[in-house]
Amino acid sequence: LPQEFMAALPILETITNAGFEAYFVGGSVRDMLLGKAIHDVDIATSAYPSEIKALFEKTVDTGIEHGTVMILDHGNGYETTTFRTETGYTDFRRPDSVNFVRDLAEDLKRRDFTINALAMRANGEIVDLFNGLVDLDNHIIRAVGNPIERFHEDALRMMRALRFSAQLGFVIEKTTNEAIKAEAHLLTNIAVERINVELSKLMLGKAAAEGLMNFAQSGLFNYVPNIDMGRELDIVAAGLKLQGKTLPDEATAWTYLIDQLGLNEADAGRFLKAWKHSNDFIKQVKTAYHFIQLYRQQVEITNWELYQVGSVLPIALAVLKLNFSSFEGEEYMAALHNLAITNKRQLAIDGQQLIATGIVKPGPKMGEILGKIEHAVVIGQLKNHLSDLLAYAEMLQSKGE
Ligand code: ATP
Ligand code: MG
């Protein structure tokens, strides 16, 4: 057993010694069997939350109404969830009620895909009620039970199918895939934030190319925030262009997506907002996208433009590289590194000093002068030395600028 499971064995033992059942479940079991790195060892148990809390010294109620308690042990946290069934999905996204049960099979039945419905005993034995091991071997994403019913219970599962397919490079089994196409419209019931998480993971997957094409061809793309309809072909093209390549991080992925959709800068901002990205994230992507636009419009890229794009430059360059096979971009990185400053705080003078010298009085004028100094230093017209900056400030003042 991998070390992550070894570390958690005493927890399983404590639960089983008290007369309950306990298993490792979900992603960690799947990833171990695939020989992949494990994150988050999750535990499923017949013990009720109150019984778990009585057995361990340190627990946190992370989702007690759903039966989840986190057990803290030697600096690790283990999400421990009571076997449960779910009933009544009137809103297509979550059960109206959950019921705690003592039977593992009931719990595995409610899980989304066969490869996610595996459980493992402390001795390494796998419980596989839905032929998840065969699907794992054959690289198949298959819904547990009737896919149409399962997507009606929780429509996010359709996006999860595409996401796992892209992450693992697995194919979605035929009836599962047909159910996604038939029920794609149910995605409108799901909060954008949750769709965003899945799309972001999809785009970072090793098979993101196929994932994006599937996103368009399944019809799911029609039920997510969009600037206007009929852009499936742009998404298919985004997938085609990505074939054999991967996207390095979320900001690059979303910049790539916007660029493929051909949005103007204002629409790009609205699109990211509609997808509920954070303001910080939107700023990064918009900055990178602005640089890409300058490049596409063959505007000369000055030091000032490089200064503006700053640390986000690698994102813009990565997206340009995907678009133009001969694009290297090294010269832009070199030019960025050669800038006299990369940040206003690196100026050899600040507002306080300008006031202390008596050259400028506090007020709006100050910001203006500092801005001009910043610009002159960045474009290389002025050395970033205290004496040069003071002389320049004095000159600006005397000219009444
Ligand atoms: P990851 O590596 O991305 O964390 P994971 O398989 O652990 O993958 P989680 O979202 O952490 O995915 O969920 C843990 C487990 O809970 C899944 O393996 C699956 O068994 C179950 N699960 C999660 N979300 C759903 C869902 N929407 N419907 C049914 N079962 C789900
Ligand atoms: Mg997980």
Side-chain angles (χ1 to χ4, degrees):
L1 286 187
Q3 162 267 318
E4 291 86 348
F5 285 123
M6 294 304 288
L9 280 181
I11 306 245
L12 286 200
E13 266 163 33
T14 302
I15 302 174
T16 49
N17 286 345
F20 303 104
E21 287 181 51
Y23 301 83
F24 297 123
V25 283
S28 62
V29 177
R30 177 196 68 225
D31 290 342
M32 177 202 73
L33 293 167
L34 287 171
K36 295 176 57 142
I38 295 166
H39 52 110
D40 312 334
V41 169
D42 294 328
I43 295 171
T45 179
S46 61
Y48 293 160
S50 57
E51 292 165 333
I52 290 294
K53 288 169 73 166
L55 282 173
F56 295 92
E57 241 166 68
K58 283 187 226 148
T59 63
V60 186
D61 294 357
T62 48
I64 197 142
E65 65 284 9
H66 310 112
T68 303
V69 170
M70 182 178 287
I71 299 173
L72 300 177
D73 179 70
H74 293 89
N76 294 317
Y78 300 98
E79 294 273 8
T80 306
T81 305
T82 304
F83 298 155
R84 63 175 207 231
T85 58
E86 301 174 342
T87 44
Y89 299 83
T90 44
D91 62 2
F92 306 106
R93 59 174 173 250
R94 53 166 181 228
D96 299 337
S97 65
V98 307
N99 307 294
F100 300 144
V101 293
R102 298 288 191 182
D103 180 16
L104 171 69
E106 288 297 313
D107 184 81
L108 295 180
K109 237 197 271 181
R110 70 163 174 93
R111 293 175 183 270
D112 47 6
F113 305 109
T114 60
I115 60 166
N116 288 345
L118 297 165
M120 184 169 73
R121 296 199 169 88
N123 64 6
E125 220 172 271
I126 303 287
V127 180
D128 175 20
L129 303 182
F130 306 100
N131 290 320
L133 288 174
V134 174
D135 286 341
L136 209 51
D137 263 354
N138 294 330
H139 293 187
I140 288 172
I141 308 288
R142 183 195 312 268
V144 170
N146 180 323
I148 300 232
E149 282 170 21
R150 302 314 307 284
F151 299 151
H152 272 255
E153 291 169 1
D154 177 359
L156 185 69
R157 289 172 185 156
M158 299 186 285
M159 279 303 294
R160 284 173 62 86
L162 268 64
R163 181 265 274 205
F164 285 116
S165 165
Q167 278 184 325
L168 303 172
F170 284 19
V171 297
I172 302 174
E173 175 272 332
K174 190 157 166 286
T175 59
T176 303
N177 205 38
E178 281 167 359
I180 294 172
K181 286 185 177 162
E183 306 303 322
H185 62 99
L186 293 176
L187 200 58
T188 52
N189 295 289
I190 302 298
V192 173
E193 290 87 337
R194 299 177 68 208
I195 305 174
N196 183 332
V197 169
E198 301 302 330
L199 180 59
S200 294
K201 287 182 178 177
L202 179 158
M203 288 195 286
L204 296 188
K206 65 176 181 188
E210 293 73 16
L212 280 170
M213 288 190 264
N214 203 359
F215 184 43
Q217 285 158 352
S218 62
L220 286 169
F221 175 68
N222 291 328
Y223 302 99
V224 297
N226 215 324
I227 290 301
D228 51 56
M229 290 297 167
R231 288 178 179 269
E232 288 99 322
L233 286 182
D234 296 325
I235 300 292
V236 173
L240 283 171
K241 196 175 284 179
L242 209 54
Q243 266 174 335
K245 303 190 182 96
T246 55
L247 291 160
D249 55 70
E250 233 173 274
T252 306
W254 284 86
T255 308
Y256 177 68
L257 189 63
I258 281 165
D259 189 45
Q260 283 297 132
L261 288 169
L263 302 182
N264 65 39
E265 291 181 50
D267 279 347
R270 282 192 277 274
F271 180 78
L272 294 166
K273 194 104 199 129
W275 273 94
K276 308 273 171 144
H277 281 290
S278 70
N279 289 338
D280 265 3
F281 186 88
I282 294 175
K283 197 169 151 202
Q284 269 189 54
V285 172
K286 283 186 74 172
T287 304
Y289 193 46
H290 179 67
F291 184 90
I292 292 168
Q293 299 291 82
L294 292 177
Y295 181 87
R296 282 190 182 284
Q297 291 155 18
Q298 306 193 2
V299 174
E300 193 203 340
I301 306 224
T302 62
N303 277 355
W304 184 246
E305 304 290 0
L306 281 169
Y307 180 73
Q308 298 298 319
V309 69
S311 63
V312 165
L313 181 63
I315 296 173
L317 299 183
V319 172
L320 285 170
K321 231 178 250 192
L322 286 164
N323 278 288
F324 304 103
S325 51
S326 63
F327 183 86
E328 286 293 346
E330 258 81 50
E331 72 269 30
Y332 296 112
M333 281 312 283
L336 178 68
H337 285 303
N338 283 333
L339 289 180
I341 58 170
T342 55
N343 192 301
K344 203 181 212 140
R345 288 188 303 274
Q346 292 168 353
L347 282 176
I349 202 166
D350 62 17
Q352 303 265 300
Q353 285 168 289
L354 274 180
I355 292 164
T357 57
I359 298 173
V360 197
K361 291 193 181 63
K365 192 83 191 165
M366 164 88 86
E368 224 176 276
I369 288 190
L370 273 174
K372 285 185 173 151
I373 292 175
E374 181 188 16
H375 186 258
V377 168
V378 168
I379 65 170
Q381 183 191 333
L382 183 64
K383 280 218 167 65
N384 189 23
H385 293 156
L386 182 60
S387 55
D388 296 62
L389 302 191
L390 286 174
Y392 191 73
E394 243 165 334
M395 184 273 289
L396 289 174
Q397 271 299 47
S398 68
K399 282 187 14 190
E401 283 188 21

